[in-house]
Amino acid sequence: GAVVSQHPSRVICKSGTSVKIECRSLDFQATTMFWYRQFPKQSLMLMATSNEGSKATYEQGVEKDKFLINHASLTLSTLTVTSAHPEDSSFYICSAHLLAANTGELFFGEGSRLTVL
Amino acid sequence: EDQVTQSPEALRLQEGESSSLNCSYTVSGLRGLFWYRQDPGKGPEFLFTLYSAGEEKEKERLKATLTKKESFLHITAPKPEDSATYLCAVHTGGGNKLTFGTGTQLKVEL
């Protein structure tokens, strides 16, 4: 079946540094990928929709200058947390759906645990 | 605004003790309802998609049903390996954006 891969799975960084998380669709092309954030024992909160070849669409309350998204190809989207602070520590998950399959069915990556010291 | 509510928040079962998880939704124009399983520190794993009221789907010990207001995930004779957080999500409107519920944390004990 379709597989979405994220890297790194865990990252620890110092406050003020930037961290990049990659999301790849391994055996299919994805024009749209989604980035979620999940706090402990809470559900997934959509941060932004990543569109291949165009600007990402951010949800209300999500700082676009803080969370930079680049979707340069049909198989790769990246999320960069800029000038990270401890409150940015969270579990970040990406997802993607099959190209031209407008069914809403999404495949999720394994998630990336970010800890900002 | 679309709303998805899951209950209970947490559920503890003995092995073999069947039960149901609930997902209630208030949306405009449901295009699909999804169930996912999430293990700690992992991304959600797709289980089922339901598209219309009356639809049912089964997979091993799990069975998902859908009405116009809610969905149930029935777990028959659960095993400890069924322990996980179960998330439901709704797909509405255009695009492929999903709105998730807060999940039910299931623990099955021997």
PDB file of all heavy atoms in Angstrom, chain A residues 34 36 38 43-44 46 59 91 93 97 101-106 108-111, chain B residues 31 34 36 38 41-44 46 49 51 87 91 95-98 100-102:
ATOM      1  N   PHE A  34      -0.324  17.355   3.920  1.00  0.00           N
ATOM      2  CA  PHE A  34      -0.839  18.092   5.068  1.00  0.00           C
ATOM      3  C   PHE A  34       0.122  17.946   6.244  1.00  0.00           C
ATOM      4  O   PHE A  34       0.689  16.886   6.469  1.00  0.00           O
ATOM      5  CB  PHE A  34      -2.212  17.542   5.476  1.00  0.00           C
ATOM      6  CG  PHE A  34      -3.245  17.623   4.383  1.00  0.00           C
ATOM      7  CD1 PHE A  34      -3.377  16.602   3.470  1.00  0.00           C
ATOM      8  CD2 PHE A  34      -4.061  18.732   4.273  1.00  0.00           C
ATOM      9  CE1 PHE A  34      -4.310  16.677   2.451  1.00  0.00           C
ATOM     10  CE2 PHE A  34      -5.006  18.817   3.262  1.00  0.00           C
ATOM     11  CZ  PHE A  34      -5.131  17.792   2.350  1.00  0.00           C
ATOM     12  N   TYR A  36       0.358  18.275  10.357  1.00  0.00           N
ATOM     13  CA  TYR A  36      -0.401  18.324  11.595  1.00  0.00           C
ATOM     14  C   TYR A  36       0.557  18.457  12.766  1.00  0.00           C
ATOM     15  O   TYR A  36       1.719  18.074  12.707  1.00  0.00           O
ATOM     16  CB  TYR A  36      -1.217  17.041  11.794  1.00  0.00           C
ATOM     17  CG  TYR A  36      -2.344  16.827  10.817  1.00  0.00           C
ATOM     18  CD1 TYR A  36      -2.110  16.258   9.564  1.00  0.00           C
ATOM     19  CD2 TYR A  36      -3.644  17.166  11.151  1.00  0.00           C
ATOM     20  CE1 TYR A  36      -3.148  16.057   8.674  1.00  0.00           C
ATOM     21  CE2 TYR A  36      -4.696  16.955  10.273  1.00  0.00           C
ATOM     22  CZ  TYR A  36      -4.439  16.389   9.037  1.00  0.00           C
ATOM     23  OH  TYR A  36      -5.471  16.183   8.157  1.00  0.00           O
ATOM     24  N   GLN A  38       0.513  17.600  17.032  1.00  0.00           N
ATOM     25  CA  GLN A  38      -0.231  16.879  18.047  1.00  0.00           C
ATOM     26  C   GLN A  38       0.450  17.032  19.398  1.00  0.00           C
ATOM     27  O   GLN A  38       1.624  16.667  19.554  1.00  0.00           O
ATOM     28  CB  GLN A  38      -0.345  15.397  17.684  1.00  0.00           C
ATOM     29  CG  GLN A  38      -1.241  14.603  18.616  1.00  0.00           C
ATOM     30  CD  GLN A  38      -1.398  13.157  18.169  1.00  0.00           C
ATOM     31  OE1 GLN A  38      -0.472  12.560  17.654  1.00  0.00           O
ATOM     32  NE2 GLN A  38      -2.584  12.605  18.375  1.00  0.00           N
ATOM     33  N   SER A  43      -5.728  15.527  20.039  1.00  0.00           N
ATOM     34  CA  SER A  43      -5.887  15.073  18.669  1.00  0.00           C
ATOM     35  C   SER A  43      -4.988  15.846  17.722  1.00  0.00           C
ATOM     36  O   SER A  43      -4.243  16.727  18.130  1.00  0.00           O
ATOM     37  CB  SER A  43      -7.344  15.221  18.248  1.00  0.00           C
ATOM     38  OG  SER A  43      -7.559  14.548  17.026  1.00  0.00           O
ATOM     39  N   LEU A  44      -5.064  15.475  16.471  1.00  0.00           N
ATOM     40  CA  LEU A  44      -4.256  16.131  15.449  1.00  0.00           C
ATOM     41  C   LEU A  44      -4.875  17.469  15.082  1.00  0.00           C
ATOM     42  O   LEU A  44      -6.065  17.556  14.798  1.00  0.00           O
ATOM     43  CB  LEU A  44      -4.173  15.271  14.195  1.00  0.00           C
ATOM     44  CG  LEU A  44      -3.257  14.061  14.249  1.00  0.00           C
ATOM     45  CD1 LEU A  44      -3.849  12.950  15.080  1.00  0.00           C
ATOM     46  CD2 LEU A  44      -2.971  13.559  12.844  1.00  0.00           C
ATOM     47  N   LEU A  46      -4.618  20.410  12.304  1.00  0.00           N
ATOM     48  CA  LEU A  46      -4.066  20.745  11.003  1.00  0.00           C
ATOM     49  C   LEU A  46      -3.374  22.102  11.067  1.00  0.00           C
ATOM     50  O   LEU A  46      -3.958  23.081  11.529  1.00  0.00           O
ATOM     51  CB  LEU A  46      -5.168  20.774   9.945  1.00  0.00           C
ATOM     52  CG  LEU A  46      -4.731  21.114   8.526  1.00  0.00           C
ATOM     53  CD1 LEU A  46      -3.820  20.029   7.975  1.00  0.00           C
ATOM     54  CD2 LEU A  46      -5.951  21.289   7.625  1.00  0.00           C
ATOM     55  N   GLU A  59      -3.557  27.266   8.313  1.00  0.00           N
ATOM     56  CA  GLU A  59      -4.761  27.371   9.120  1.00  0.00           C
ATOM     57  C   GLU A  59      -4.676  28.621   9.994  1.00  0.00           C
ATOM     58  O   GLU A  59      -3.593  29.141  10.280  1.00  0.00           O
ATOM     59  CB  GLU A  59      -4.938  26.143   9.992  1.00  0.00           C
ATOM     60  CG  GLU A  59      -5.173  24.872   9.198  1.00  0.00           C
ATOM     61  CD  GLU A  59      -6.435  24.947   8.347  1.00  0.00           C
ATOM     62  OE1 GLU A  59      -7.528  25.152   8.909  1.00  0.00           O
ATOM     63  OE2 GLU A  59      -6.313  24.796   7.112  1.00  0.00           O
ATOM     64  N   PHE A  91       4.732  16.904  18.560  1.00  0.00           N
ATOM     65  CA  PHE A  91       4.801  15.795  17.616  1.00  0.00           C
ATOM     66  C   PHE A  91       4.218  16.311  16.309  1.00  0.00           C
ATOM     67  O   PHE A  91       3.057  16.723  16.252  1.00  0.00           O
ATOM     68  CB  PHE A  91       3.991  14.628  18.178  1.00  0.00           C
ATOM     69  CG  PHE A  91       4.183  13.320  17.468  1.00  0.00           C
ATOM     70  CD1 PHE A  91       5.453  12.804  17.268  1.00  0.00           C
ATOM     71  CD2 PHE A  91       3.103  12.581  17.035  1.00  0.00           C
ATOM     72  CE1 PHE A  91       5.641  11.589  16.639  1.00  0.00           C
ATOM     73  CE2 PHE A  91       3.283  11.352  16.405  1.00  0.00           C
ATOM     74  CZ  PHE A  91       4.548  10.859  16.206  1.00  0.00           C
ATOM     75  N   ILE A  93       3.232  15.628  12.366  1.00  0.00           N
ATOM     76  CA  ILE A  93       2.889  14.501  11.490  1.00  0.00           C
ATOM     77  C   ILE A  93       2.468  15.041  10.132  1.00  0.00           C
ATOM     78  O   ILE A  93       1.712  16.015  10.059  1.00  0.00           O
ATOM     79  CB  ILE A  93       1.725  13.663  12.064  1.00  0.00           C
ATOM     80  CG1 ILE A  93       1.980  13.298  13.531  1.00  0.00           C
ATOM     81  CG2 ILE A  93       1.513  12.401  11.246  1.00  0.00           C
ATOM     82  CD1 ILE A  93       0.803  12.599  14.188  1.00  0.00           C
ATOM     83  N   HIS A  97      -2.360  12.218   0.175  1.00  0.00           N
ATOM     84  CA  HIS A  97      -3.351  11.342  -0.454  1.00  0.00           C
ATOM     85  C   HIS A  97      -2.905  11.063  -1.882  1.00  0.00           C
ATOM     86  O   HIS A  97      -2.083  11.779  -2.450  1.00  0.00           O
ATOM     87  CB  HIS A  97      -4.739  11.982  -0.437  1.00  0.00           C
ATOM     88  CG  HIS A  97      -4.858  13.178  -1.331  1.00  0.00           C
ATOM     89  ND1 HIS A  97      -5.282  13.101  -2.631  1.00  0.00           N
ATOM     90  CD2 HIS A  97      -4.598  14.489  -1.114  1.00  0.00           C
ATOM     91  CE1 HIS A  97      -5.279  14.314  -3.178  1.00  0.00           C
ATOM     92  NE2 HIS A  97      -4.870  15.169  -2.274  1.00  0.00           N
ATOM     93  N   ALA A 101      -7.008  11.418  -6.356  1.00  0.00           N
ATOM     94  CA  ALA A 101      -8.001  10.638  -5.608  1.00  0.00           C
ATOM     95  C   ALA A 101      -8.638  11.556  -4.584  1.00  0.00           C
ATOM     96  O   ALA A 101      -8.188  11.637  -3.456  1.00  0.00           O
ATOM     97  CB  ALA A 101      -7.339   9.441  -4.940  1.00  0.00           C
ATOM     98  N   ASN A 102      -9.683  12.228  -4.943  1.00  0.00           N
ATOM     99  CA  ASN A 102     -10.289  13.229  -4.062  1.00  0.00           C
ATOM    100  C   ASN A 102     -11.278  12.584  -3.097  1.00  0.00           C
ATOM    101  O   ASN A 102     -12.422  12.988  -2.987  1.00  0.00           O
ATOM    102  CB  ASN A 102     -10.993  14.290  -4.917  1.00  0.00           C
ATOM    103  CG  ASN A 102     -11.408  15.489  -4.104  1.00  0.00           C
ATOM    104  OD1 ASN A 102     -10.799  15.796  -3.083  1.00  0.00           O
ATOM    105  ND2 ASN A 102     -12.459  16.148  -4.530  1.00  0.00           N
ATOM    106  N   THR A 103     -10.810  11.565  -2.399  1.00  0.00           N
ATOM    107  CA  THR A 103     -11.683  10.846  -1.489  1.00  0.00           C
ATOM    108  C   THR A 103     -11.463  11.238  -0.044  1.00  0.00           C
ATOM    109  O   THR A 103     -12.226  10.852   0.816  1.00  0.00           O
ATOM    110  CB  THR A 103     -11.422   9.325  -1.581  1.00  0.00           C
ATOM    111  OG1 THR A 103     -10.065   9.079  -1.186  1.00  0.00           O
ATOM    112  CG2 THR A 103     -11.654   8.828  -2.992  1.00  0.00           C
ATOM    113  N   GLY A 104     -10.425  12.004   0.236  1.00  0.00           N
ATOM    114  CA  GLY A 104     -10.135  12.378   1.611  1.00  0.00           C
ATOM    115  C   GLY A 104      -9.315  11.357   2.344  1.00  0.00           C
ATOM    116  O   GLY A 104      -8.843  11.602   3.439  1.00  0.00           O
ATOM    117  N   GLU A 105      -9.149  10.174   1.796  1.00  0.00           N
ATOM    118  CA  GLU A 105      -8.378   9.138   2.477  1.00  0.00           C
ATOM    119  C   GLU A 105      -6.914   9.537   2.486  1.00  0.00           C
ATOM    120  O   GLU A 105      -6.321   9.772   1.448  1.00  0.00           O
ATOM    121  CB  GLU A 105      -8.557   7.803   1.757  1.00  0.00           C
ATOM    122  CG  GLU A 105      -7.821   6.649   2.413  1.00  0.00           C
ATOM    123  CD  GLU A 105      -8.136   5.329   1.743  1.00  0.00           C
ATOM    124  OE1 GLU A 105      -9.281   5.161   1.301  1.00  0.00           O
ATOM    125  OE2 GLU A 105      -7.237   4.486   1.664  1.00  0.00           O
ATOM    126  N   LEU A 106      -6.349   9.621   3.665  1.00  0.00           N
ATOM    127  CA  LEU A 106      -4.982  10.065   3.833  1.00  0.00           C
ATOM    128  C   LEU A 106      -4.105   8.977   4.417  1.00  0.00           C
ATOM    129  O   LEU A 106      -4.551   8.176   5.227  1.00  0.00           O
ATOM    130  CB  LEU A 106      -4.925  11.278   4.765  1.00  0.00           C
ATOM    131  CG  LEU A 106      -5.584  12.568   4.310  1.00  0.00           C
ATOM    132  CD1 LEU A 106      -5.461  13.613   5.403  1.00  0.00           C
ATOM    133  CD2 LEU A 106      -4.949  13.067   3.040  1.00  0.00           C
ATOM    134  N   PHE A 108      -0.610   8.572   6.591  1.00  0.00           N
ATOM    135  CA  PHE A 108       0.192   9.390   7.496  1.00  0.00           C
ATOM    136  C   PHE A 108       1.619   8.894   7.593  1.00  0.00           C
ATOM    137  O   PHE A 108       1.890   7.694   7.498  1.00  0.00           O
ATOM    138  CB  PHE A 108      -0.421   9.396   8.896  1.00  0.00           C
ATOM    139  CG  PHE A 108      -1.652  10.245   8.998  1.00  0.00           C
ATOM    140  CD1 PHE A 108      -2.885   9.755   8.653  1.00  0.00           C
ATOM    141  CD2 PHE A 108      -1.556  11.564   9.432  1.00  0.00           C
ATOM    142  CE1 PHE A 108      -4.021  10.550   8.731  1.00  0.00           C
ATOM    143  CE2 PHE A 108      -2.684  12.371   9.521  1.00  0.00           C
ATOM    144  CZ  PHE A 108      -3.916  11.862   9.171  1.00  0.00           C
ATOM    145  N   GLY A 109       2.528   9.845   7.824  1.00  0.00           N
ATOM    146  CA  GLY A 109       3.896   9.494   8.132  1.00  0.00           C
ATOM    147  C   GLY A 109       3.997   9.012   9.572  1.00  0.00           C
ATOM    148  O   GLY A 109       3.019   9.027  10.321  1.00  0.00           O
ATOM    149  N   GLU A 110       5.218   8.619   9.947  1.00  0.00           N
ATOM    150  CA  GLU A 110       5.421   8.069  11.292  1.00  0.00           C
ATOM    151  C   GLU A 110       5.492   9.151  12.361  1.00  0.00           C
ATOM    152  O   GLU A 110       5.477   8.865  13.548  1.00  0.00           O
ATOM    153  CB  GLU A 110       6.709   7.233  11.336  1.00  0.00           C
ATOM    154  CG  GLU A 110       6.781   6.151  10.267  1.00  0.00           C
ATOM    155  CD  GLU A 110       7.547   6.609   9.044  1.00  0.00           C
ATOM    156  OE1 GLU A 110       7.509   7.836   8.721  1.00  0.00           O
ATOM    157  OE2 GLU A 110       8.191   5.775   8.390  1.00  0.00           O
ATOM    158  N   GLY A 111       5.575  10.391  11.933  1.00  0.00           N
ATOM    159  CA  GLY A 111       5.653  11.482  12.890  1.00  0.00           C
ATOM    160  C   GLY A 111       7.080  11.853  13.244  1.00  0.00           C
ATOM    161  O   GLY A 111       7.999  11.031  13.151  1.00  0.00           O
TER     162      GLY A 111
ATOM    163  N   ARG B  31     -18.616  14.027   3.403  1.00  0.00           N
ATOM    164  CA  ARG B  31     -18.154  13.303   2.231  1.00  0.00           C
ATOM    165  C   ARG B  31     -17.529  11.974   2.606  1.00  0.00           C
ATOM    166  O   ARG B  31     -17.379  11.093   1.754  1.00  0.00           O
ATOM    167  CB  ARG B  31     -17.147  14.157   1.463  1.00  0.00           C
ATOM    168  CG  ARG B  31     -17.739  15.452   0.930  1.00  0.00           C
ATOM    169  CD  ARG B  31     -16.720  16.279   0.204  1.00  0.00           C
ATOM    170  NE  ARG B  31     -16.202  15.574  -0.975  1.00  0.00           N
ATOM    171  CZ  ARG B  31     -15.204  16.007  -1.704  1.00  0.00           C
ATOM    172  NH1 ARG B  31     -14.584  17.119  -1.386  1.00  0.00           N
ATOM    173  NH2 ARG B  31     -14.790  15.341  -2.751  1.00  0.00           N
ATOM    174  N   PHE B  34     -13.732   8.691   8.643  1.00  0.00           N
ATOM    175  CA  PHE B  34     -12.572   7.808   8.678  1.00  0.00           C
ATOM    176  C   PHE B  34     -12.250   7.404  10.104  1.00  0.00           C
ATOM    177  O   PHE B  34     -12.363   8.203  11.031  1.00  0.00           O
ATOM    178  CB  PHE B  34     -11.353   8.521   8.078  1.00  0.00           C
ATOM    179  CG  PHE B  34     -11.584   8.997   6.683  1.00  0.00           C
ATOM    180  CD1 PHE B  34     -12.169  10.225   6.433  1.00  0.00           C
ATOM    181  CD2 PHE B  34     -11.225   8.204   5.615  1.00  0.00           C
ATOM    182  CE1 PHE B  34     -12.402  10.659   5.139  1.00  0.00           C
ATOM    183  CE2 PHE B  34     -11.450   8.627   4.316  1.00  0.00           C
ATOM    184  CZ  PHE B  34     -12.042   9.854   4.085  1.00  0.00           C
ATOM    185  N   TYR B  36      -9.049   5.831  12.342  1.00  0.00           N
ATOM    186  CA  TYR B  36      -7.618   5.562  12.367  1.00  0.00           C
ATOM    187  C   TYR B  36      -7.253   4.991  13.734  1.00  0.00           C
ATOM    188  O   TYR B  36      -7.879   5.292  14.741  1.00  0.00           O
ATOM    189  CB  TYR B  36      -6.800   6.846  12.153  1.00  0.00           C
ATOM    190  CG  TYR B  36      -6.828   7.392  10.746  1.00  0.00           C
ATOM    191  CD1 TYR B  36      -7.839   8.265  10.343  1.00  0.00           C
ATOM    192  CD2 TYR B  36      -5.841   7.051   9.828  1.00  0.00           C
ATOM    193  CE1 TYR B  36      -7.855   8.781   9.046  1.00  0.00           C
ATOM    194  CE2 TYR B  36      -5.849   7.560   8.539  1.00  0.00           C
ATOM    195  CZ  TYR B  36      -6.859   8.423   8.160  1.00  0.00           C
ATOM    196  OH  TYR B  36      -6.867   8.928   6.882  1.00  0.00           O
ATOM    197  N   GLN B  38      -3.959   4.891  16.348  1.00  0.00           N
ATOM    198  CA  GLN B  38      -2.658   5.525  16.590  1.00  0.00           C
ATOM    199  C   GLN B  38      -2.002   4.904  17.816  1.00  0.00           C
ATOM    200  O   GLN B  38      -2.567   4.913  18.912  1.00  0.00           O
ATOM    201  CB  GLN B  38      -2.793   7.042  16.780  1.00  0.00           C
ATOM    202  CG  GLN B  38      -1.444   7.741  16.877  1.00  0.00           C
ATOM    203  CD  GLN B  38      -1.566   9.246  16.966  1.00  0.00           C
ATOM    204  OE1 GLN B  38      -2.586   9.778  17.398  1.00  0.00           O
ATOM    205  NE2 GLN B  38      -0.520   9.947  16.543  1.00  0.00           N
ATOM    206  N   GLY B  41       3.571   7.569  19.982  1.00  0.00           N
ATOM    207  CA  GLY B  41       4.757   7.969  19.247  1.00  0.00           C
ATOM    208  C   GLY B  41       4.755   7.615  17.781  1.00  0.00           C
ATOM    209  O   GLY B  41       5.793   7.692  17.108  1.00  0.00           O
ATOM    210  N   LYS B  42       3.599   7.239  17.249  1.00  0.00           N
ATOM    211  CA  LYS B  42       3.487   6.863  15.830  1.00  0.00           C
ATOM    212  C   LYS B  42       2.431   7.701  15.137  1.00  0.00           C
ATOM    213  O   LYS B  42       1.565   8.290  15.783  1.00  0.00           O
ATOM    214  CB  LYS B  42       3.099   5.383  15.708  1.00  0.00           C
ATOM    215  CG  LYS B  42       4.045   4.417  16.401  1.00  0.00           C
ATOM    216  CD  LYS B  42       5.338   4.287  15.651  1.00  0.00           C
ATOM    217  CE  LYS B  42       6.219   3.213  16.288  1.00  0.00           C
ATOM    218  NZ  LYS B  42       7.537   3.108  15.586  1.00  0.00           N
ATOM    219  N   GLY B  43       2.491   7.724  13.801  1.00  0.00           N
ATOM    220  CA  GLY B  43       1.454   8.384  13.043  1.00  0.00           C
ATOM    221  C   GLY B  43       0.213   7.507  12.973  1.00  0.00           C
ATOM    222  O   GLY B  43       0.274   6.301  13.202  1.00  0.00           O
ATOM    223  N   PRO B  44      -0.944   8.082  12.684  1.00  0.00           N
ATOM    224  CA  PRO B  44      -2.184   7.302  12.581  1.00  0.00           C
ATOM    225  C   PRO B  44      -2.134   6.272  11.471  1.00  0.00           C
ATOM    226  O   PRO B  44      -1.580   6.514  10.405  1.00  0.00           O
ATOM    227  CB  PRO B  44      -3.240   8.368  12.291  1.00  0.00           C
ATOM    228  CG  PRO B  44      -2.664   9.643  12.791  1.00  0.00           C
ATOM    229  CD  PRO B  44      -1.196   9.519  12.522  1.00  0.00           C
ATOM    230  N   PHE B  46      -4.475   3.978   8.997  1.00  0.00           N
ATOM    231  CA  PHE B  46      -5.826   3.960   8.446  1.00  0.00           C
ATOM    232  C   PHE B  46      -6.528   2.628   8.729  1.00  0.00           C
ATOM    233  O   PHE B  46      -5.940   1.560   8.572  1.00  0.00           O
ATOM    234  CB  PHE B  46      -5.760   4.201   6.934  1.00  0.00           C
ATOM    235  CG  PHE B  46      -7.061   4.008   6.229  1.00  0.00           C
ATOM    236  CD1 PHE B  46      -8.054   4.973   6.317  1.00  0.00           C
ATOM    237  CD2 PHE B  46      -7.301   2.876   5.488  1.00  0.00           C
ATOM    238  CE1 PHE B  46      -9.261   4.792   5.663  1.00  0.00           C
ATOM    239  CE2 PHE B  46      -8.498   2.683   4.833  1.00  0.00           C
ATOM    240  CZ  PHE B  46      -9.482   3.640   4.923  1.00  0.00           C
ATOM    241  N   THR B  49     -12.993   3.675   5.917  1.00  0.00           N
ATOM    242  CA  THR B  49     -13.699   4.838   5.401  1.00  0.00           C
ATOM    243  C   THR B  49     -15.159   4.456   5.242  1.00  0.00           C
ATOM    244  O   THR B  49     -15.478   3.394   4.712  1.00  0.00           O
ATOM    245  CB  THR B  49     -13.180   5.259   4.015  1.00  0.00           C
ATOM    246  OG1 THR B  49     -11.765   5.383   4.053  1.00  0.00           O
ATOM    247  CG2 THR B  49     -13.788   6.581   3.611  1.00  0.00           C
ATOM    248  N   TYR B  51     -18.911   6.143   3.872  1.00  0.00           N
ATOM    249  CA  TYR B  51     -19.364   7.262   3.054  1.00  0.00           C
ATOM    250  C   TYR B  51     -20.832   7.618   3.240  1.00  0.00           C
ATOM    251  O   TYR B  51     -21.222   8.774   3.028  1.00  0.00           O
ATOM    252  CB  TYR B  51     -19.106   6.973   1.573  1.00  0.00           C
ATOM    253  CG  TYR B  51     -17.645   6.911   1.223  1.00  0.00           C
ATOM    254  CD1 TYR B  51     -17.010   5.690   1.009  1.00  0.00           C
ATOM    255  CD2 TYR B  51     -16.888   8.074   1.102  1.00  0.00           C
ATOM    256  CE1 TYR B  51     -15.665   5.638   0.685  1.00  0.00           C
ATOM    257  CE2 TYR B  51     -15.539   8.028   0.782  1.00  0.00           C
ATOM    258  CZ  TYR B  51     -14.942   6.809   0.570  1.00  0.00           C
ATOM    259  OH  TYR B  51     -13.607   6.758   0.256  1.00  0.00           O
ATOM    260  N   LEU B  87      -8.899   7.184  16.512  1.00  0.00           N
ATOM    261  CA  LEU B  87      -9.299   8.517  16.075  1.00  0.00           C
ATOM    262  C   LEU B  87     -10.336   8.420  14.965  1.00  0.00           C
ATOM    263  O   LEU B  87     -10.211   7.572  14.083  1.00  0.00           O
ATOM    264  CB  LEU B  87      -8.097   9.284  15.534  1.00  0.00           C
ATOM    265  CG  LEU B  87      -6.929   9.526  16.492  1.00  0.00           C
ATOM    266  CD1 LEU B  87      -5.710  10.022  15.710  1.00  0.00           C
ATOM    267  CD2 LEU B  87      -7.314  10.558  17.535  1.00  0.00           C
ATOM    268  N   HIS B  91     -14.453  14.175   6.557  1.00  0.00           N
ATOM    269  CA  HIS B  91     -14.056  14.873   5.339  1.00  0.00           C
ATOM    270  C   HIS B  91     -15.280  15.601   4.828  1.00  0.00           C
ATOM    271  O   HIS B  91     -16.296  14.972   4.528  1.00  0.00           O
ATOM    272  CB  HIS B  91     -13.553  13.854   4.310  1.00  0.00           C
ATOM    273  CG  HIS B  91     -13.208  14.448   2.991  1.00  0.00           C
ATOM    274  ND1 HIS B  91     -13.386  13.774   1.803  1.00  0.00           N
ATOM    275  CD2 HIS B  91     -12.669  15.646   2.657  1.00  0.00           C
ATOM    276  CE1 HIS B  91     -12.977  14.537   0.796  1.00  0.00           C
ATOM    277  NE2 HIS B  91     -12.541  15.664   1.289  1.00  0.00           N
ATOM    278  N   GLY B  95     -11.651  19.888  -1.398  1.00  0.00           N
ATOM    279  CA  GLY B  95     -10.296  19.539  -0.986  1.00  0.00           C
ATOM    280  C   GLY B  95     -10.257  18.249  -0.189  1.00  0.00           C
ATOM    281  O   GLY B  95     -11.209  17.479  -0.191  1.00  0.00           O
ATOM    282  N   ASN B  96      -9.148  18.023   0.480  1.00  0.00           N
ATOM    283  CA  ASN B  96      -8.968  16.775   1.210  1.00  0.00           C
ATOM    284  C   ASN B  96      -8.629  16.998   2.664  1.00  0.00           C
ATOM    285  O   ASN B  96      -7.933  16.218   3.280  1.00  0.00           O
ATOM    286  CB  ASN B  96      -7.873  15.950   0.542  1.00  0.00           C
ATOM    287  CG  ASN B  96      -8.372  15.273  -0.710  1.00  0.00           C
ATOM    288  OD1 ASN B  96      -9.034  14.255  -0.648  1.00  0.00           O
ATOM    289  ND2 ASN B  96      -8.089  15.882  -1.842  1.00  0.00           N
ATOM    290  N   LYS B  97      -9.157  18.055   3.226  1.00  0.00           N
ATOM    291  CA  LYS B  97      -8.874  18.370   4.619  1.00  0.00           C
ATOM    292  C   LYS B  97      -9.765  17.531   5.524  1.00  0.00           C
ATOM    293  O   LYS B  97     -10.961  17.370   5.283  1.00  0.00           O
ATOM    294  CB  LYS B  97      -9.152  19.853   4.844  1.00  0.00           C
ATOM    295  CG  LYS B  97      -8.766  20.376   6.183  1.00  0.00           C
ATOM    296  CD  LYS B  97      -8.899  21.903   6.141  1.00  0.00           C
ATOM    297  CE  LYS B  97      -9.728  22.415   7.275  1.00  0.00           C
ATOM    298  NZ  LYS B  97      -9.779  23.894   7.274  1.00  0.00           N
ATOM    299  N   LEU B  98      -9.177  16.975   6.575  1.00  0.00           N
ATOM    300  CA  LEU B  98      -9.917  16.197   7.550  1.00  0.00           C
ATOM    301  C   LEU B  98      -9.978  16.927   8.880  1.00  0.00           C
ATOM    302  O   LEU B  98      -9.033  17.596   9.272  1.00  0.00           O
ATOM    303  CB  LEU B  98      -9.250  14.838   7.786  1.00  0.00           C
ATOM    304  CG  LEU B  98      -9.162  13.860   6.615  1.00  0.00           C
ATOM    305  CD1 LEU B  98      -8.615  12.523   7.090  1.00  0.00           C
ATOM    306  CD2 LEU B  98     -10.511  13.675   5.947  1.00  0.00           C
ATOM    307  N   PHE B 100     -10.380  16.085  12.822  1.00  0.00           N
ATOM    308  CA  PHE B 100     -10.246  14.943  13.724  1.00  0.00           C
ATOM    309  C   PHE B 100     -10.966  15.158  15.044  1.00  0.00           C
ATOM    310  O   PHE B 100     -11.053  16.278  15.549  1.00  0.00           O
ATOM    311  CB  PHE B 100      -8.767  14.683  14.021  1.00  0.00           C
ATOM    312  CG  PHE B 100      -8.057  13.948  12.930  1.00  0.00           C
ATOM    313  CD1 PHE B 100      -7.527  14.629  11.855  1.00  0.00           C
ATOM    314  CD2 PHE B 100      -7.932  12.571  12.977  1.00  0.00           C
ATOM    315  CE1 PHE B 100      -6.877  13.944  10.843  1.00  0.00           C
ATOM    316  CE2 PHE B 100      -7.276  11.878  11.968  1.00  0.00           C
ATOM    317  CZ  PHE B 100      -6.755  12.571  10.895  1.00  0.00           C
ATOM    318  N   GLY B 101     -11.449  14.056  15.617  1.00  0.00           N
ATOM    319  CA  GLY B 101     -11.905  14.051  16.995  1.00  0.00           C
ATOM    320  C   GLY B 101     -10.708  13.918  17.911  1.00  0.00           C
ATOM    321  O   GLY B 101      -9.567  13.759  17.450  1.00  0.00           O
ATOM    322  N   THR B 102     -10.947  13.972  19.204  1.00  0.00           N
ATOM    323  CA  THR B 102      -9.854  13.937  20.177  1.00  0.00           C
ATOM    324  C   THR B 102      -9.399  12.515  20.501  1.00  0.00           C
ATOM    325  O   THR B 102      -8.402  12.325  21.172  1.00  0.00           O
ATOM    326  CB  THR B 102     -10.248  14.645  21.478  1.00  0.00           C
ATOM    327  OG1 THR B 102     -11.515  14.139  21.903  1.00  0.00           O
ATOM    328  CG2 THR B 102     -10.359  16.146  21.257  1.00  0.00           C
TER     329      THR B 102
END
